[in-house]
Amino acid sequence: MDTSSLAGLHRWFADYCRTFHNDNEEHNRNIRLKEEHTAKVCAVMEVLSDSLALSPEDRRIAVAVALFHDIGRFEQYRRFRTFKDSSSVNHAELGGRVLAEGKVLAGLPEEEQRLIIGAVGLHNVFRIPAMLGDRQRLFLRLIRDADKLDIWRVFIEFYGQPAEERASAVSLGFPDIPEYTPAVLDTLLRGGMVDLAKLRTLNDFKLLQLSWVFDLNFPCSRELVRERGYVELLADTLPRTKDVGRAIGVVRAALCARDSEV
Protein backbone atom coordinates (compact mmCIF):
# COMPACT_ATOMS: atom_id res chain seq x y z
CA MET A 1 0.00 0.00 0.00
CA ASP A 2 1.41 3.40 -0.94
CA THR A 3 0.49 6.79 0.49
CA SER A 4 -1.98 7.58 -2.30
CA SER A 5 -3.83 4.30 -1.68
CA LEU A 6 -4.14 5.11 2.03
CA ALA A 7 -5.38 8.60 1.19
CA GLY A 8 -8.00 7.02 -1.07
CA LEU A 9 -9.17 4.80 1.80
CA HIS A 10 -9.56 7.87 4.01
CA ARG A 11 -11.69 9.54 1.32
CA TRP A 12 -13.83 6.42 0.97
CA PHE A 13 -14.37 6.32 4.72
CA ALA A 14 -15.42 10.00 4.86
CA ASP A 15 -17.89 9.48 2.00
CA TYR A 16 -19.26 6.33 3.65
CA CYS A 17 -19.83 8.09 6.98
CA ARG A 18 -21.79 10.88 5.31
CA THR A 19 -24.38 8.37 4.12
CA PHE A 20 -25.38 7.69 7.74
CA HIS A 21 -26.32 11.25 8.70
CA ASN A 22 -30.00 12.21 8.76
CA ASP A 23 -32.24 14.86 10.33
CA ASN A 24 -32.31 13.22 13.79
CA GLU A 25 -29.82 14.90 16.13
CA GLU A 26 -29.57 11.98 18.58
CA HIS A 27 -28.80 9.64 15.69
CA ASN A 28 -26.18 12.02 14.29
CA ARG A 29 -24.56 12.46 17.72
CA ASN A 30 -23.89 8.73 17.88
CA ILE A 31 -22.58 8.64 14.30
CA ARG A 32 -20.29 11.62 14.91
CA LEU A 33 -19.00 9.92 18.05
CA LYS A 34 -17.74 7.00 15.95
CA GLU A 35 -16.26 9.29 13.30
CA GLU A 36 -14.30 11.19 15.96
CA HIS A 37 -13.28 7.96 17.68
CA THR A 38 -11.93 6.61 14.40
CA ALA A 39 -9.84 9.72 13.77
CA LYS A 40 -8.34 9.56 17.25
CA VAL A 41 -7.61 5.82 17.01
CA CYS A 42 -5.74 6.53 13.77
CA ALA A 43 -3.69 9.18 15.60
CA VAL A 44 -2.89 6.78 18.45
CA MET A 45 -1.92 4.13 15.90
CA GLU A 46 0.67 6.54 14.48
CA VAL A 47 2.17 6.96 17.95
CA LEU A 48 2.29 3.21 18.57
CA SER A 49 3.82 2.65 15.12
CA ASP A 50 6.53 5.19 15.93
CA SER A 51 7.29 3.48 19.23
CA LEU A 52 7.80 0.15 17.43
CA ALA A 53 9.71 1.69 14.49
CA LEU A 54 7.43 -0.01 11.99
CA SER A 55 8.35 0.12 8.32
CA PRO A 56 6.44 2.68 6.22
CA GLU A 57 4.45 -0.15 4.63
CA ASP A 58 3.45 -1.70 7.95
CA ARG A 59 2.62 1.74 9.35
CA ARG A 60 0.14 2.30 6.50
CA ILE A 61 -1.43 -1.12 7.04
CA ALA A 62 -1.76 -0.34 10.77
CA VAL A 63 -3.43 3.01 10.05
CA ALA A 64 -5.81 1.34 7.57
CA VAL A 65 -6.78 -1.14 10.29
CA ALA A 66 -7.43 1.78 12.65
CA LEU A 67 -9.46 3.59 9.98
CA PHE A 68 -11.76 0.63 9.43
CA HIS A 69 -11.80 -1.08 12.83
CA ASP A 70 -15.27 0.26 13.70
CA ILE A 71 -16.72 0.46 10.20
CA GLY A 72 -19.40 -2.01 11.29
CA ARG A 73 -20.64 0.36 14.01
CA PHE A 74 -22.36 2.64 11.49
CA GLU A 75 -24.59 0.00 9.97
CA GLN A 76 -25.09 -1.53 13.42
CA TYR A 77 -26.44 1.73 14.79
CA ARG A 78 -28.60 2.46 11.75
CA ARG A 79 -30.24 -0.97 11.93
CA PHE A 80 -30.47 -1.51 15.69
CA ARG A 81 -29.99 1.91 17.38
CA THR A 82 -27.40 0.41 19.70
CA PHE A 83 -23.66 -0.27 20.00
CA LYS A 84 -24.33 -3.33 22.16
CA ASP A 85 -23.27 -6.36 20.15
CA SER A 86 -25.16 -8.86 22.29
CA SER A 87 -28.43 -7.07 21.49
CA SER A 88 -27.73 -6.64 17.80
CA VAL A 89 -24.79 -7.94 15.78
CA ASN A 90 -21.06 -8.45 16.25
CA HIS A 91 -19.82 -5.10 14.94
CA ALA A 92 -16.30 -6.39 14.20
CA GLU A 93 -17.55 -9.28 12.06
CA LEU A 94 -19.98 -6.92 10.35
CA GLY A 95 -17.10 -4.55 9.64
CA GLY A 96 -15.12 -7.32 8.00
CA ARG A 97 -18.11 -8.12 5.80
CA VAL A 98 -18.57 -4.46 4.82
CA LEU A 99 -14.96 -4.34 3.65
CA ALA A 100 -15.02 -7.70 1.87
CA GLU A 101 -18.45 -7.50 0.23
CA GLY A 102 -17.96 -3.88 -0.78
CA LYS A 103 -14.50 -4.66 -2.22
CA VAL A 104 -13.25 -1.56 -0.40
CA LEU A 105 -9.67 -2.85 -0.40
CA ALA A 106 -9.70 -4.22 -3.95
CA GLY A 107 -6.74 -2.11 -5.07
CA LEU A 108 -4.42 -3.53 -2.42
CA PRO A 109 -2.27 -6.68 -2.52
CA GLU A 110 -4.20 -9.72 -1.33
CA GLU A 111 -1.98 -10.23 1.71
CA GLU A 112 -2.66 -6.67 2.89
CA GLN A 113 -6.38 -7.14 2.35
CA ARG A 114 -6.32 -10.28 4.50
CA LEU A 115 -4.34 -8.58 7.25
CA ILE A 116 -6.68 -5.57 7.40
CA ILE A 117 -9.94 -7.52 7.20
CA GLY A 118 -8.64 -10.09 9.69
CA ALA A 119 -7.65 -7.46 12.25
CA VAL A 120 -10.95 -5.58 11.83
CA GLY A 121 -12.98 -8.77 12.20
CA LEU A 122 -11.17 -9.92 15.36
CA HIS A 123 -10.36 -6.65 17.13
CA ASN A 124 -13.09 -7.12 19.78
CA VAL A 125 -12.43 -10.76 20.74
CA PHE A 126 -12.01 -11.46 24.45
CA ARG A 127 -8.66 -13.17 23.86
CA ILE A 128 -6.37 -13.12 20.82
CA PRO A 129 -6.63 -16.51 19.07
CA ALA A 130 -3.51 -18.65 19.48
CA MET A 131 -3.37 -19.84 15.87
CA LEU A 132 -2.63 -16.46 14.28
CA GLY A 133 0.61 -15.81 12.44
CA ASP A 134 3.10 -13.22 13.65
CA ARG A 135 1.98 -10.43 11.31
CA GLN A 136 -1.69 -11.09 11.97
CA ARG A 137 -0.97 -10.99 15.68
CA LEU A 138 1.02 -7.74 15.37
CA PHE A 139 -1.77 -5.77 13.72
CA LEU A 140 -4.41 -7.24 16.00
CA ARG A 141 -2.40 -6.31 19.11
CA LEU A 142 -1.90 -2.81 17.75
CA ILE A 143 -5.56 -2.13 17.05
CA ARG A 144 -6.68 -3.55 20.38
CA ASP A 145 -4.36 -1.14 22.20
CA ALA A 146 -5.12 1.87 19.98
CA ASP A 147 -8.86 1.25 20.32
CA LYS A 148 -8.73 1.05 24.12
CA LEU A 149 -6.61 4.19 24.35
CA ASP A 150 -9.38 6.24 22.79
CA ILE A 151 -12.37 4.34 24.19
CA TRP A 152 -11.18 5.37 27.66
CA ARG A 153 -11.39 9.00 26.53
CA VAL A 154 -14.86 8.45 25.06
CA PHE A 155 -16.23 7.02 28.30
CA ILE A 156 -14.56 9.51 30.61
CA GLU A 157 -16.03 12.38 28.57
CA PHE A 158 -19.41 10.63 28.55
CA TYR A 159 -19.47 10.26 32.34
CA GLY A 160 -18.75 13.97 32.75
CA GLN A 161 -21.42 15.24 30.34
CA PRO A 162 -24.96 16.34 31.17
CA ALA A 163 -27.46 13.65 30.16
CA GLU A 164 -28.91 15.76 27.33
CA GLU A 165 -25.48 16.11 25.66
CA ARG A 166 -24.49 12.44 25.81
CA ALA A 167 -24.34 10.14 22.82
CA SER A 168 -27.09 7.82 23.99
CA ALA A 169 -25.61 4.54 22.75
CA VAL A 170 -22.33 4.84 24.65
CA SER A 171 -23.51 3.31 27.94
CA LEU A 172 -24.92 0.22 26.16
CA GLY A 173 -28.11 0.63 28.18
CA PHE A 174 -26.62 -0.28 31.58
CA PRO A 175 -28.53 1.44 34.43
CA ASP A 176 -26.66 4.28 36.14
CA ILE A 177 -27.24 3.21 39.74
CA PRO A 178 -24.85 3.08 42.75
CA GLU A 179 -24.51 -0.72 42.80
CA TYR A 180 -21.83 -2.93 41.27
CA THR A 181 -21.71 -6.72 40.91
CA PRO A 182 -19.41 -8.47 43.44
CA ALA A 183 -18.27 -11.05 40.86
CA VAL A 184 -17.14 -8.28 38.52
CA LEU A 185 -15.13 -6.63 41.29
CA ASP A 186 -13.62 -9.98 42.29
CA THR A 187 -12.38 -10.52 38.73
CA LEU A 188 -10.64 -7.16 38.83
CA LEU A 189 -9.10 -7.92 42.23
CA ARG A 190 -7.62 -11.11 40.73
CA GLY A 191 -6.10 -9.15 37.85
CA GLY A 192 -8.47 -10.68 35.32
CA MET A 193 -10.28 -9.31 32.30
CA VAL A 194 -13.97 -8.72 33.02
CA ASP A 195 -16.43 -10.43 30.68
CA LEU A 196 -19.06 -8.09 29.20
CA ALA A 197 -21.70 -10.79 29.67
CA LYS A 198 -21.37 -10.51 33.46
CA LEU A 199 -22.24 -6.80 33.63
CA ARG A 200 -25.44 -5.57 35.25
CA THR A 201 -24.84 -1.87 36.00
CA LEU A 202 -22.94 1.13 34.63
CA ASN A 203 -20.47 0.78 37.51
CA ASP A 204 -19.77 -2.78 36.33
CA PHE A 205 -19.02 -1.32 32.91
CA LYS A 206 -16.54 1.10 34.47
CA LEU A 207 -14.83 -1.78 36.28
CA LEU A 208 -14.61 -3.67 32.99
CA GLN A 209 -12.92 -0.62 31.44
CA LEU A 210 -10.35 -0.61 34.23
CA SER A 211 -9.63 -4.30 33.57
CA TRP A 212 -8.47 -3.43 30.04
CA VAL A 213 -5.17 -2.38 31.61
CA PHE A 214 -4.39 -6.10 31.97
CA ASP A 215 -4.77 -6.58 28.21
CA LEU A 216 -2.42 -3.86 26.93
CA ASN A 217 0.32 -5.17 24.65
CA PHE A 218 3.00 -2.48 24.35
CA PRO A 219 5.04 -0.31 26.75
CA CYS A 220 4.00 2.81 24.82
CA SER A 221 0.34 1.98 25.44
CA ARG A 222 0.90 1.77 29.18
CA GLU A 223 2.83 5.04 29.11
CA LEU A 224 -0.05 6.77 27.33
CA VAL A 225 -2.51 5.47 29.94
CA ARG A 226 -0.34 6.96 32.69
CA GLU A 227 0.19 10.26 30.86
CA ARG A 228 -3.53 10.70 30.27
CA GLY A 229 -4.50 9.73 33.80
CA TYR A 230 -7.21 7.34 32.63
CA VAL A 231 -7.14 5.09 35.70
CA GLU A 232 -7.54 8.01 38.10
CA LEU A 233 -10.25 9.65 35.99
CA LEU A 234 -12.26 6.42 35.86
CA ALA A 235 -11.68 5.80 39.56
CA ASP A 236 -13.23 9.20 40.33
CA THR A 237 -16.52 8.06 38.77
CA LEU A 238 -16.84 4.93 40.94
CA PRO A 239 -18.27 4.46 44.46
CA ARG A 240 -15.61 5.18 47.11
CA THR A 241 -15.81 1.84 48.89
CA LYS A 242 -12.91 -0.05 50.41
CA ASP A 243 -13.22 -2.93 47.91
CA VAL A 244 -13.33 -0.60 44.91
CA GLY A 245 -10.24 1.15 46.29
CA ARG A 246 -8.44 -2.19 46.54
CA ALA A 247 -9.36 -3.05 42.96
CA ILE A 248 -8.07 0.29 41.68
CA GLY A 249 -4.85 -0.39 43.57
CA VAL A 250 -4.46 -3.70 41.71
CA VAL A 251 -4.91 -1.89 38.40
CA ARG A 252 -2.37 0.81 39.30
CA ALA A 253 0.18 -1.82 40.38
CA ALA A 254 -0.27 -3.80 37.16
CA LEU A 255 0.16 -0.70 35.05
CA CYS A 256 3.50 0.08 36.72
CA ALA A 257 4.76 -3.51 37.07
CA ARG A 258 4.33 -4.23 33.37
CA ASP A 259 6.26 -1.12 32.36
CA SER A 260 9.51 -3.10 32.29
CA GLU A 261 8.18 -5.69 29.81
CA VAL A 262 9.47 -5.64 26.24
Side-chain angles (χ1 to χ4, degrees):
M1 183 192 317
D2 56 23
T3 54
S4 64
S5 296
L6 181 58
L9 295 179
H10 277 281
R11 289 192 296 272
W12 183 93
F13 179 79
D15 291 342
Y16 182 76
C17 290
R18 277 193 286 272
T19 68
F20 289 87
H21 289 271
N22 60 30
D23 57 2
N24 183 291
E25 178 53 29
E26 180 183 353
H27 172 98
N28 292 340
R29 189 180 294 126
N30 284 289
I31 296 299
R32 286 195 302 268
L33 177 89
K34 287 302 173 184
E35 292 178 89
E36 180 182 7
H37 170 63
T38 296
K40 290 185 179 295
V41 171
C42 287
V44 173
M45 187 65 87
E46 294 276 10
V47 175
L48 295 181
S49 297
D50 278 345
S51 76
L52 297 175
L54 293 187
S55 69
E57 294 79 9
D58 280 356
R59 174 192 294 268
R60 288 191 284 271
I61 294 171
V63 172
V65 171
L67 179 66
F68 292 127
H69 82 284
D70 263 359
I71 194 72
R73 288 295 196 193
F74 298 93
E75 184 62 28
Q76 178 189 42
Y77 188 75
R78 176 156 67 185
R79 287 166 55 187
F80 300 101
R81 295 294 188 270
T82 185
F83 293 141
K84 191 172 185 178
D85 287 12
S86 62
S87 300
S88 56
V89 64
N90 184 318
H91 78 279
E93 293 177 1
L94 177 59
R97 291 199 300 274
V98 168
L99 295 176
E101 293 171 6
K103 302 188 186 306
V104 178
L105 309 176
L108 304 182
E110 288 189 7
E111 180 190 2
E112 292 185 0
Q113 293 186 45
R114 286 194 296 270
L115 287 169
I116 294 167
I117 292 173
V120 168
L122 290 173
H123 80 272
N124 67 336
V125 294
F126 191 68
R127 301 283 185 199
I128 294 177
M131 75 289 295
L132 296 183
D134 289 344
R135 279 173 63 72
Q136 292 173 301
R137 183 175 294 274
L138 169 65
F139 293 111
L140 187 53
R141 292 169 73 209
L142 279 166
I143 189 54
R144 286 166 69 85
D145 277 20
D147 194 18
K148 290 180 180 70
L149 282 160
D150 190 61
I151 291 177
W152 273 311
R153 174 198 63 83
V154 169
F155 283 112
I156 289 164
E157 290 183 0
F158 174 85
Y159 299 140
Q161 289 172 331
E164 65 274 11
E165 295 178 14
R166 291 176 171 179
S168 58
V170 171
S171 67
L172 304 189
F174 291 115
D176 189 1
I177 56 178
E179 287 78 16
Y180 52 83
T181 303
V184 170
L185 190 65
D186 287 345
T187 299
L188 201 62
L189 286 165
R190 295 195 305 272
M193 285 276 289
V194 175
D195 187 341
L196 186 65
K198 298 185 182 301
L199 307 190
R200 297 293 178 268
T201 72
L202 192 59
N203 280 331
D204 291 345
F205 199 17
K206 295 171 184 178
L207 293 169
L208 175 145
Q209 290 153 22
L210 283 169
S211 81
W212 289 340
V213 164
F214 307 130
D215 192 47
L216 291 173
N217 294 282
F218 303 104
C220 180
S221 304
R222 295 186 280 275
E223 178 62 26
L224 287 170
V225 173
R226 290 193 296 271
E227 285 180 4
R228 297 176 180 186
Y230 285 148
V231 171
E232 307 309 324
L233 289 167
L234 272 173
D236 286 345
T237 72
L238 283 161
R240 297 180 181 275
T241 69
K242 184 179 295 186
D243 285 341
V244 168
R246 287 174 54 224
I248 292 166
V250 170
V251 172
R252 289 192 190 111
L255 194 60
C256 294
R258 297 180 180 203
D259 191 40
S260 62
E261 292 181 5
V262 178

